[in-house]
């Protein structure tokens, strides 16, 4: 079982939520997953669940079914924490694309 530094938990949006809301089944999972939207530590949370093969609950915006499917698709990943942190860093380095509404059109 993988271990990691879990100081990120103190910054999680769900830290004040009722834990029962995060360990639900069926349709209520969508409400639980929505709690993860905009969470500053969503990546760390998901990596923790994937690296530790946590089987129950919503972690990082994914259900146990979502995580199992991801683990099946990427069986060679040895550290989800490293993979997700690297992906986030690369994403943040990319320049923001110019949106059509940002352009100044002249006639």
């Amino acid at each position: 079982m993988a271990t990691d530094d879990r100081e990120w938990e103190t910054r999680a949006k769900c830290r004040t939520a009722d834990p029962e809301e995060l360990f639900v089944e069926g349709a209520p999972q969508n409400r639980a997953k929505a709690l993860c939207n905009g969470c500053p530590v969503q990546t760390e949370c998901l990596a923790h669940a994937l690296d530790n093969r946590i089987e129950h609950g919503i972690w990082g915006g994914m259900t146990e079914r979502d995580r199992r499917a991801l683990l099946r698709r990427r069986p060679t990943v040895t550290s989800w924490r490293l993979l997700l942190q690297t992906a986030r860093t690369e994403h943040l380095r990319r320049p923001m694309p110019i949106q059509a509404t940002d352009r100044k059109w002249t006639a």
Side-chain angles (χ1 to χ4, degrees):
M1 187 189 248
T3 60
D4 65 350
D5 177 12
R6 293 179 56 174
E7 65 78 28
W8 56 266
E9 290 178 332
T10 62
R11 299 187 330 270
K13 276 178 59 177
C14 65
R15 73 186 174 282
T16 58
D18 179 359
E20 295 296 321
E21 293 177 18
L22 300 171
F23 293 88
V24 293
E25 294 190 18
Q29 287 181 327
N30 290 328
R31 282 193 306 277
K33 286 168 53 170
L35 182 60
C36 299
N37 293 338
C39 180
V41 294
Q42 186 173 358
T43 301
E44 291 85 348
C45 180
L46 178 58
H48 171 75
L50 291 167
D51 281 337
N52 292 286
R53 304 301 195 263
I54 296 176
E55 295 183 14
H56 302 288
I58 304 297
W59 292 82
M62 294 183 89
T63 66
E64 54 269 18
R65 177 182 241 173
D66 297 333
R67 293 191 306 275
R68 278 194 307 269
L70 183 55
L71 290 167
R72 276 193 306 273
R73 284 193 307 271
R74 302 288 303 271
T76 60
V77 174
T78 57
S79 172
W80 286 95
R81 183 179 187 187
L82 180 59
L83 177 75
L84 294 175
Q85 285 176 341
T86 301
R88 179 175 53 194
T89 300
E90 290 300 316
H91 175 74
L92 293 174
R93 284 186 185 157
R94 292 183 189 158
M96 293 293 292
I98 296 174
Q99 301 293 320
T101 57
D102 294 339
R103 295 184 189 133
K104 305 269 188 215
W105 296 100
T106 57

